[in-house]
């Protein structure tokens, strides 16, 4: 364990009691976790009995790479490093029989969930505005994150609307169980309920988990904490690492109170504070400490650094959002020349995605390359998922998830009652939904019309599947498939506008073109199945590409920036109503907004710049704005307030001369 500071060393070597590590931003928490895994193996704990859990695939991959690098023991590969949800899925798959599930479980994403809710409401003849369905889905998700069953949700429902949602929750759970499916929240809630109901199974999993390390503990919700508590058992052989000052996910169920609950549930708990920061200079940390000191703390900490810098923190006042975007782009351009920095050294952080629009325009005007994080993936759009589900079903008719997605898209007059009866029959017979459609026994369950509609779809699908297995022209087959189901007309009928419909159609055509290019580039003949199998890996490939250090300025929300670091950070829109957000002001929830600002500040390594506008356009009207209260909570002696007057020709000329001089010096 070379070069660990005393606090890190103590956190690594303490294994005889439950341990909470309060790890400030940039204090080396991932290193502590990986070094502790190595230490546990060296003390005789088998690698297969060590479990490390985090919240993102990226963090899990990084942890795995570090463990493989520092642990020379060949058994280190048996350490289970995964996300919370991957661990939950592993338990569900291994215990599927006890859960009355088949092995080939389908996992529903949010779009699948909303579609099922819509189908349930339609089949029950509940006319409801489509805009109300996502809030119903979120409420069900919130109940699951609180580890509440449908019965418990109904018991705490505060009004008729919540009673309705609780009843919908019960129908939804019954429906997806029959369909052998779970949603994202069930990946935690289902193992939790399994452990509560089956002590022998809980004991089995406790025996395979001799030591558990949990990263980003402050982001756990109630369901995750209860799951964790049962898994580690009363002895509590664990280390959890977290930072209450970086708890910024309350909107998706994270409960920072879990930090306080830990001491109550595990009285032997020891707390270690890691306060030395290896990322930022002392001036930036002074600003972060003073800002976050305005929030209440159970455990006080104060970040410090050996890195000194004389550059003040800059606060830029701009006339409006147009001037702000131009000024930030100009500042980056100047600074890039002056410091001879790379584009990837710069990050622009903001509270909401809409703030990026003008920035993009200003950066393009100065030919500055940029990358926006957090945008919607091409493969996450509904039309792409529809077409991919059709293709997947052609290749594998037993794919229940694909079957459920497309059986009524476009509409085939196959209602949810029909699907529910089909799924129930298939589940009893332990066969796929597709296979169940051909069984004679189904004729005793469904009426003649419903059976005809199902078999008509299956026969068309099988005919196309036979062609897919033999054709040398998969692209022609895909075009035929799109034509057969009249998919483009379906898009036009359900789009909000002609422009949206055309964009969706173009996306489908782009997908087909992509498949065609893969087929052409292949040195050997690829079947449609081969091509789609490669496509299923695309998510992983995209993530790997994102991790490559491309030389682009990074634009991202404060939420997306957590865990990252950049030499030069610009935190824009520091105004009341933006940061802190107006919703948080109205609901008096300023503490999490302050933590968001704290996260933004602690992303900066060398230099930090804030910007705000004196007026901003909202809903077409130009209104006056006030600087964020967070600016007044910073150490004023460390700030350089720079007002920007776009109309000042003298200042504009001076900046132009400076830029010219910088470029000349570079050329020389």
């Amino acid at each position: 364990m070379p070069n660990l500071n005393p606090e890190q060393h103590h956190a690594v070597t303490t294994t005889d009691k439950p341990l909470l590590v309060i790890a400030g931003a940039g204090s080396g928490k991932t290193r502590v976790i990986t070094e502790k895994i190595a230490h546990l193996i060296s003390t005789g704990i088998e690698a297969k009995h060590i479990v490390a859990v985090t919240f993102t695939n990226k963090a899990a991959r990084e942890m795995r790479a570090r463990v493989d690098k520092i642990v020379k023991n060949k058994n280190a590969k048996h350490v289970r490093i995964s996300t919370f949800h991957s661990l939950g899925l592993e338990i569900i798959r291994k215990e599927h029989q006890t859960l009355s599930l088949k092995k080939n479980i389908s996992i529903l994403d949010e779009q699948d969930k909303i579609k099922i809710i819509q189908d349930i409401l339609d089949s029950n003849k509940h006319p409801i505005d489509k805009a109300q369905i996502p809030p119903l889905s979120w409420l069900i998700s919130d109940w699951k994150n609180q580890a509440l069953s449908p019965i418990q949700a109904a018991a705490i429902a505060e009004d008729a609307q919540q009673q309705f949602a609780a009843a919908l929750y019960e129908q939804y759970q019954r429906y997806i169980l029959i369909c052998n499916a779970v949603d994202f929240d069930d990946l935690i809630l289902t193992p939790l309920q399994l452990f509560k109901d089956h002590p022998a199974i809980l004991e089995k999993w406790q025996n395979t988990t001799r030591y558990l390390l949990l990263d980003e503990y402050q982001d756990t919700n109630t369901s995750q904490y209860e799951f964790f508590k049962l898994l580690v058992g009363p002895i509590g052989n664990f280390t959890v690492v977290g930072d209450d000052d970086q708890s910024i996910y309350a909107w998706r169920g994270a409960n920072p109170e879990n930090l306080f609950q830990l001491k109550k549930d595990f009285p032997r708990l020891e707390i270690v504070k890691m306060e030395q920061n290896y990322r930022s200079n002392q001036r930036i940390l002074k600003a972060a400490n003073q800002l976050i000191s305005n929030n209440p703390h159970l455990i006080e900490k104060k970040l410090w650094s050996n890195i000194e810098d004389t550059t003040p923190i800059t606060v830029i006042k701009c006339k409006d959002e147009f001037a702000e975007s131009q000024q930030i782009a100009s500042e980056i351009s100047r600074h890039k020349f002056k410091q001879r920095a790379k584009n990837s050294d710069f990050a622009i952080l903001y509270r909401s995605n809409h703030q990026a629009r003008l920035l993009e325009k200003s950066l393009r005007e100065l030919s500055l390359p940029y990358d926006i994080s957090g945008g919607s993936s091409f493969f996450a759009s509904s039309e792409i998922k529809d077409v991919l589900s059709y293709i997947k079903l052609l290749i594998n008719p037993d794919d229940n998830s694909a079957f459920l997605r497309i059986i009524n898209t476009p509409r085939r007059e196959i209602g949810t009652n029909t699907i529910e009866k089909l799924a129930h029959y298939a589940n009893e017979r332990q066969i796929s939904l597709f296979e169940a459609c051909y069984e004679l026994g189904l004729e005793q369950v469904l009426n003649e019309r419903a059976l005809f509609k199902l078999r008509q779809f299956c026969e068309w699908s099988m005919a196309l599947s036979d062609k897919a297995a033999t054709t040398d022209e998969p692209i022609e087959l895909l075009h035929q498939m799109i034509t057969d189901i009249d998919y483009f007309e379906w898009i036009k009928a359900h789009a909000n506008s002609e422009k949206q419909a055309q964009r969706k159609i173009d996306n489908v055509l782009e997908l087909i073109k992509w498949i065609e290019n893969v087929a052409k580039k292949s040195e050997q003949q690829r079947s449609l199945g081969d091509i789609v199998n490669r496509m299923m890996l695309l998510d992983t490939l995209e993530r790997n590409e994102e991790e490559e250090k491309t030389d682009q300025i990074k634009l991202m929300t404060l939420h997306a920036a957590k865990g990252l670091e950049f030499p030069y950070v610009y935190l824009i829109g520091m105004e009341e109503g933006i940061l802190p957000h107006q919703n948080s002001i109205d609901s008096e929830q300023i503490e999490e907004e302050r933590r968001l600002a704290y996260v933004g500040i602690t992303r900066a390594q060398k230099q930090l710049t804030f910007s705000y506008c004196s007026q901003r356009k909202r809903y077409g009207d130009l209104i006056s704005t006030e600087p964020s209260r967070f600016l007044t909570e910073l150490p004023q002696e460390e700030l350089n307030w720079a007002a920007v007057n776009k109309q000042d020709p003298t200042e504009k000329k001076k900046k132009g001369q400076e830029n010219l001089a910088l470029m000349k010096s570079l050329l020389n």
Side-chain angles (χ1 to χ4, degrees):
M1 293 178 285
N3 303 321
L4 292 181
N5 66 37
E7 292 76 23
Q8 291 174 330
H9 188 274
H10 184 57
V12 168
T13 55
T14 300
T15 59
D16 60 345
K17 63 187 72 172
L19 184 66
L20 166 61
V21 180
I22 300 294
S27 63
K29 66 181 178 66
T30 304
R31 185 181 182 192
V32 164
I33 292 173
T34 52
E35 290 286 356
K36 187 150 196 172
I37 291 171
H39 178 69
L40 290 167
I41 293 174
S42 72
T43 60
I45 296 180
E46 289 187 73
K48 66 180 180 180
H49 291 146
I50 299 171
V51 179
V53 180
T54 187
F55 276 82
T56 67
N57 288 319
K58 180 180 177 182
R61 287 196 302 272
E62 180 185 348
M63 200 177 291
R64 167 63 66 189
R66 290 201 194 187
V67 168
D68 290 345
K69 185 176 181 180
I70 66 173
V71 181
K72 305 307 178 186
N73 189 320
K74 64 180 181 180
N75 291 323
K77 64 182 180 180
H78 297 302
V79 175
R80 285 181 288 161
I81 301 175
S82 72
T83 64
F84 243 126
H85 294 89
S86 295
L87 177 60
L89 179 59
E90 179 188 352
I91 294 169
I92 291 171
R93 282 179 170 159
K94 288 186 177 178
E95 309 296 343
H96 67 92
Q97 290 180 325
T98 306
L99 293 165
S100 300
L101 292 167
K102 290 191 295 181
K103 196 169 184 178
N104 59 331
I105 299 156
S106 298
I107 301 174
L108 308 173
D109 63 13
E110 186 62 20
Q111 288 185 13
D112 297 328
K113 185 179 173 185
I114 287 174
K115 187 176 186 301
I116 288 171
I117 291 173
Q118 175 74 69
D119 288 344
I120 291 171
L121 293 171
D122 288 346
S123 67
N124 292 338
K125 295 182 169 54
H126 281 299
I128 191 169
D129 186 347
K130 284 187 178 181
Q132 293 179 283
I133 294 178
L136 287 169
S137 174
W138 300 333
L139 183 54
I140 292 171
S141 181
D142 187 49
W143 280 328
K144 289 186 178 186
N145 289 335
Q146 295 180 56
L148 297 175
S149 68
I151 294 174
Q152 292 169 318
I156 66 166
E158 297 177 352
D159 52 36
Q161 185 176 5
Q162 289 194 3
Q163 287 283 358
F164 174 78
L168 178 64
Y169 178 13
E170 190 276 330
Q171 293 178 69
Y172 168 78
Q173 286 302 108
R174 181 161 49 89
Y175 182 91
I176 66 172
L177 176 63
I178 290 172
C179 295
N180 204 54
V182 293
D183 64 26
F184 196 65
D185 301 309
D186 288 326
L187 296 178
I188 306 299
L189 183 58
T190 301
L192 171 59
Q193 292 172 331
L194 176 73
F195 287 166
K196 287 180 176 179
D197 297 339
H198 299 275
I201 291 177
L202 170 60
E203 185 179 0
K204 180 179 74 174
W205 282 91
Q206 287 175 339
N207 290 337
T208 64
T209 309
R210 302 290 173 82
Y211 203 94
L212 191 145
L213 303 102
L214 175 56
D215 192 16
E216 303 288 6
Y217 176 71
Q218 76 282 348
D219 292 339
T220 55
N221 58 40
T222 301
S223 183
Q224 288 162 340
Y225 176 67
E226 292 295 327
F227 172 49
F228 155 79
K229 188 171 70 171
L230 286 176
L231 190 57
V232 298
I235 297 175
N237 288 328
F238 66 78
T239 294
V240 299
V241 182
D243 180 9
D244 54 336
D245 290 333
Q246 297 188 73
S247 180
I248 58 174
Y249 295 115
W251 53 276
R252 68 181 189 196
N255 184 9
E257 297 293 321
N258 288 343
L259 283 164
F260 311 146
Q261 188 64 36
L262 201 62
K263 183 67 175 176
K264 295 178 183 178
D265 291 335
F266 299 93
R268 295 172 57 244
L269 182 76
E270 181 174 346
I271 299 173
V272 175
K273 292 191 290 185
M274 299 198 325
E275 299 171 292
Q276 183 173 0
N277 177 287
Y278 295 91
R279 173 190 299 158
S280 308
N281 65 52
Q282 185 58 35
R283 189 184 298 266
I284 290 169
L285 296 181
K286 181 179 178 181
N289 286 332
Q290 185 159 318
L291 174 72
I292 206 64
S293 67
N294 291 279
N295 274 6
H297 293 83
L298 176 69
I299 305 163
E300 295 289 342
K301 72 174 185 303
K302 192 173 184 178
L303 295 179
W304 62 276
S305 171
N306 286 325
I307 306 168
E308 296 291 341
D309 196 296
T310 58
T311 307
I313 296 169
T314 303
V315 183
I316 301 175
K317 177 183 178 181
C318 303
K319 178 183 176 183
D320 53 33
E321 62 264 47
F322 300 98
E324 180 184 48
S325 65
Q326 292 173 345
Q327 183 63 27
I328 295 300
S330 176
E331 289 289 325
I332 291 176
S333 181
R334 281 184 65 253
H335 206 74
K336 182 184 165 187
F337 279 119
K338 189 174 182 179
Q339 301 295 334
R340 303 194 179 189
K342 298 179 294 183
N343 292 309
S344 56
D345 289 339
F346 297 87
I348 306 174
L349 310 181
Y350 37 80
R351 179 63 177 84
S352 303
N353 279 309
H354 70 84
Q355 293 173 261
R357 293 170 192 159
L358 290 173
L359 283 167
E360 289 188 78
K361 182 175 182 293
S362 296
L363 291 170
R364 285 198 300 267
E365 286 174 353
L366 293 180
S367 299
L368 292 170
Y370 63 88
D371 173 64
I372 298 181
S373 298
S376 297
S377 166
F378 173 74
F379 287 89
S381 58
S382 60
E383 64 276 9
I384 298 302
K385 294 186 73 166
D386 286 345
V387 174
L388 281 178
S389 292
Y390 269 101
I391 298 172
K392 285 156 68 177
L393 200 67
L394 296 185
I395 297 161
N396 176 20
D398 290 334
D399 189 326
N400 281 356
S401 182
F403 185 96
L404 287 171
R405 181 174 185 89
I406 63 173
I407 186 60
N408 222 17
T409 304
R411 295 283 184 200
R412 297 185 176 87
E413 300 176 20
I414 300 172
T416 53
N417 285 334
T418 298
I419 300 301
E420 190 169 337
K421 289 176 182 177
L422 170 66
H424 187 73
Y425 178 86
N427 202 32
E428 282 187 339
R429 297 277 295 122
Q430 294 290 295
I431 57 178
S432 72
L433 298 171
F434 195 97
E435 187 179 351
C437 291
Y438 283 105
E439 291 221 336
L440 292 175
L442 191 63
E443 296 176 9
Q444 308 303 316
V445 177
L446 297 179
N447 63 46
E448 187 177 340
R449 187 172 183 277
L451 195 63
F452 172 77
K453 291 287 184 182
L454 281 173
R455 288 179 174 171
Q456 184 182 45
F457 167 75
C458 291
E459 287 165 8
W460 168 81
S461 180
M462 283 299 295
L464 213 58
S465 180
D466 291 342
K467 285 186 180 179
T470 57
T471 185
D472 294 332
E473 300 293 339
I475 305 308
E476 288 184 13
L477 183 75
L478 295 184
H479 282 295
Q480 179 190 336
M481 180 187 78
I482 297 295
T483 302
D484 285 352
I485 63 176
D486 212 6
Y487 189 64
F488 290 159
E489 289 304 315
W490 161 261
I491 287 177
K492 291 175 184 177
H494 290 82
N496 294 328
S497 64
E498 289 185 14
K499 187 176 180 181
Q500 184 192 58
Q502 191 57 51
R503 185 172 67 248
K504 287 176 175 289
I505 290 170
D506 289 343
N507 281 345
V508 172
L509 294 174
E510 185 179 339
L511 172 68
I512 295 174
K513 187 68 176 176
W514 188 89
I515 295 173
E516 184 178 14
N517 289 338
V518 171
K520 285 180 178 178
K521 289 178 182 178
S522 175
E523 294 179 1
Q524 57 187 13
Q525 184 64 41
R526 281 185 184 269
S527 69
L528 188 58
D530 293 332
I531 296 169
V532 173
N533 284 337
R534 174 174 174 176
M535 195 177 298
M536 293 303 101
L537 296 174
L538 193 62
D539 258 353
T540 304
L541 296 174
E542 284 183 335
R543 283 196 296 267
N544 290 339
E545 288 171 0
E546 286 173 6
E547 290 171 12
E548 294 175 4
K549 293 186 177 179
T550 53
D551 192 27
Q552 295 175 308
I553 298 163
K554 303 301 180 187
L555 277 63
M556 64 183 70
T557 64
L558 289 162
H559 285 99
K562 187 168 174 288
L564 304 177
E565 57 187 46
F566 306 92
Y568 309 103
V569 168
Y570 294 79
L571 213 171
I572 70 167
M574 291 293 292
E575 300 152 35
E576 290 291 299
I578 295 182
L579 187 65
H581 195 277
Q582 191 61 48
N583 290 345
S584 298
I585 295 173
D586 294 340
S587 58
E588 298 183 352
Q589 295 178 334
I590 299 298
E591 290 174 13
E592 180 151 336
E593 294 293 302
R594 189 176 283 112
R595 291 194 289 266
L596 264 179
Y598 173 85
V599 165
I601 291 170
T602 53
R603 299 312 95 196
Q605 296 170 295
K606 296 181 179 180
Q607 194 165 327
L608 176 64
T609 301
F610 298 103
S611 70
Y612 71 96
C613 302
S614 56
Q615 57 184 13
R616 189 177 289 269
K617 187 171 285 188
R618 289 183 188 169
Y619 308 112
D621 296 324
L622 203 59
I623 63 169
S624 297
T625 55
E626 294 293 328
S628 170
R629 69 190 72 186
F630 299 150
L631 291 175
T632 65
E633 295 175 357
L634 299 173
Q636 300 303 301
E637 68 275 12
E638 304 294 350
L639 304 184
N640 174 31
W641 293 74
V644 176
N645 186 348
K646 190 183 171 190
Q647 304 303 319
D648 186 347
T650 305
E651 184 67 23
K652 191 174 180 180
K653 183 177 180 181
K654 181 182 176 183
K655 286 283 180 72
Q657 290 172 339
E658 287 178 0
N659 285 338
L660 185 60
L662 283 169
M663 285 187 280
K664 284 182 177 179
S665 69
L666 286 173
L667 290 171
N668 291 335

